[in-house]
Amino acid sequence: MMQVMAKPDLHRVPRHPHAWAVVLVLSQLAVAALWWRLGWPVGLPAMLATHAVFLWGVLVPDSGLFSPVLKRLPTSEPVVWLTIDDGPSEQTPAVLDLLDAHGAKATFFVVGERAQARPELLREIARRGHGIGNHSHSHPQAWFWALGPAAMRRQVADAQAAITAITGTAPHWFRAVVGMANPFVSAPLRTHGLARVAWSARGFDAVAADPDAVVTRIERGLSPGAIVLLHEGARHGRNLEVLALLLRRLDALGYRTVLPEAGAEADQWLEKTREAEMETARFPGPPP
């Protein structure tokens, strides 16, 4: 029998964006005390261990050490959340047409500067009923994880302002560049009411040029509620082939796409999902 899920909070904005600093100070005071009392053979490994924890929190994309992060949708229904990063790009119109052809919806995590360069594409994404998220303003791929507080604040705020000015609606969701979020991302997320989104299924389509291999990797992570990471505009130019193949596989496997949103819309989505699960539990179909 299918389990009915409890109602969770999908849209989790950081509540205590500076808590990490308190933890850091306390941990280093503890390290200093150990070093003072027991010497470097204990103090040095303790210092390295505490630093390793903070580094892990930055480098692991779905780490919630510095801020809450949504990794998958809480449902046992055969649904997935398609997320498409790095646009808008020259491929965006074709991406939209592919999604329309399969009756699929996606959230586009867009770059502020690219949205300003192609505002008509951003408006078209919204017009066709897709979601739009914040993916930084200039996409500093090599050093986003190492940005200081002022630079991080600008990356989030400038993208938020650009997207809002073009579409008239402020995004609810944020995805860190390359998924890596350092401690300084929490404060601007709280300021702008943004919640971090990671993923649970990816195929490395931003770098891998073989659509079959990419979709095979994505399929390994597919399950009810999976958040699928895709990209547009990659240098290899085969993102459209990846999307087309993935949409065919999702159709064949019986998966539908959903757009979970914030606030009341999230409540409505969760309520509909619970109702569907209750119906399935009461009237299960024939065994496969």
Side-chain angles (χ1 to χ4, degrees):
M1 181 178 292
M2 188 175 296
Q3 296 295 315
V4 178
M5 68 177 186
K7 180 180 176 180
D9 183 6
L10 289 182
H11 188 262
R12 298 175 61 202
V13 176
R15 296 178 58 189
H16 306 289
H18 303 295
W20 64 270
V22 176
V23 174
L24 176 62
V25 170
L26 292 177
S27 69
Q28 297 316 295
L29 288 174
V31 167
L34 286 173
W35 204 311
W36 178 266
R37 293 178 61 86
L38 302 176
W40 70 266
V42 174
L44 180 60
M47 182 186 71
L48 294 176
T50 56
H51 288 190
V53 169
F54 275 79
L55 186 62
W56 170 84
V58 172
L59 299 181
V60 175
D62 61 358
S63 165
L65 184 63
F66 304 121
S67 63
V69 58
L70 183 62
K71 307 172 189 179
R72 62 183 308 108
L73 302 178
T75 179
S76 54
E77 285 288 292
V79 298
V80 298
W81 183 9
L82 293 182
T83 63
I84 303 175
D85 288 9
D86 296 354
S89 70
E90 293 180 356
Q91 291 183 335
T92 301
V95 169
L96 292 171
D97 289 343
L98 274 173
L99 293 170
D100 283 352
H102 289 264
K105 296 297 181 184
T107 295
F108 289 73
F109 283 91
V110 302
V111 178
E113 288 183 348
R114 298 172 190 174
Q116 289 175 325
R118 294 182 169 95
E120 72 286 352
L121 294 182
L122 203 63
R123 286 190 285 266
E124 183 65 8
I125 291 171
R127 189 188 71 79
R128 298 206 199 184
H130 300 284
I132 296 175
N134 184 326
H135 191 42
S136 83
H137 192 62
S138 65
H139 201 269
Q141 182 170 324
W143 60 84
F144 182 85
W145 64 275
L147 292 179
M152 183 68 75
R153 185 169 59 251
R154 288 193 298 271
Q155 284 292 329
V156 176
D158 290 354
Q160 195 77 351
I163 295 167
T164 303
I166 294 168
T167 65
T169 303
H172 297 306
W173 306 106
F174 175 82
R175 175 166 285 153
V177 179
V178 200
M180 298 178 184
N182 70 26
F184 303 120
V185 77
S186 295
L189 293 190
R190 179 170 177 80
T191 298
H192 297 283
L194 289 161
R196 269 184 65 205
V197 178
W199 55 80
S200 56
R202 70 183 301 186
F204 299 94
D205 63 317
V207 293
D210 182 350
D212 290 308
V214 168
V215 173
T216 296
R217 282 192 288 266
I218 291 174
E219 279 195 53
R220 295 189 192 118
L222 283 183
S223 61
I227 299 177
V228 180
L229 172 63
L230 297 167
H231 297 81
E232 60 174 299
R235 292 183 180 179
H236 55 66
R238 305 194 71 181
N239 292 128
L240 293 174
E241 296 173 66
V242 169
L243 179 59
L245 179 57
L246 176 63
L247 291 171
R248 291 197 297 271
R249 289 299 298 150
L250 291 176
D251 289 342
L253 294 170
Y255 279 98
R256 295 177 289 106
T257 60
V258 294
L259 287 181
E261 293 299 343
E265 291 173 329
D267 293 342
Q268 293 170 9
W269 181 82
L270 289 167
E271 187 64 32
K272 289 178 181 178
T273 304
R274 287 204 310 278
E275 290 174 356
E277 290 178 348
M278 291 176 66
E279 285 299 311
T280 303
R282 288 173 56 197
F283 305 106

